[in-house]
Amino acid sequence: MERKDFLRTLGAGAAFAITFPCLGGCSKDDENDGNIVDPPTNVDFTIDLSASEAAKLSDNGGFIRKNLVVIVRNLEGNFVAASQVCSHEQYDAVVFDSRNGGTFFCDVHGSRFGQDGTPLNTIPNSTPRALKVYNTELNGNLLRVFE
Ligand code: FES
């Protein structure tokens, strides 16, 4: 049976459901990661480490994302921060990977960066560019992230 014959046997509604399953609902824009955006500018904000939004920063290797910045408590217990927007093709998909000493990682094409933003690998047909990193300053429970 050919595809069109198969669809005809299902009726118009079922054929539509099979043929167009993603209309209005499957674009990359609906996902949490993977949107192309401009990198953050004029970064300067504070996180209250006692607030629930910062709970993942209580453990070494934990990270959160806020204002397009990835904020990390690295394996040594120090706070580091970098752009959530990848330097490769500007997808907002950068996370922290605590394996192998801890690196920033973008799973869109696999870019990996040191905690100082240095590119650690090369994506085919592209020139490695550093990931933007930000300063951090801890005052009591308040962590400031700034350029
Ligand atoms: S956009 Fe991050 S690796 Fe390509």
Side-chain angles (χ1 to χ4, degrees), residues 78-134:
N78 301 314
F79 291 101
V80 294
S83 174
Q84 181 182 322
V85 181
C86 185
S87 61
H88 176 226
E89 290 185 355
Q90 296 192 322
Y91 281 85
D92 60 345
V94 173
V95 296
F96 186 72
D97 180 356
S98 61
R99 295 173 296 176
N100 301 317
T103 58
F104 289 102
F105 176 66
C106 175
D107 71 354
V108 176
H109 307 102
S111 285
R112 200 168 279 282
F113 307 90
Q115 292 180 29
D116 63 355
T118 303
L120 299 177
N121 60 353
T122 301
I123 306 302
N125 304 316
S126 72
T127 303
R129 287 188 298 260
L131 185 67
K132 173 78 174 167
V133 294
Y134 302 100

Side-chain angles (χ1 to χ4, degrees), residues 1-9:
M1 177 183 294
E2 289 193 22
R3 184 170 187 264
K4 67 180 180 184
D5 296 327
F6 172 72
L7 293 174
R8 191 175 301 129
T9 63

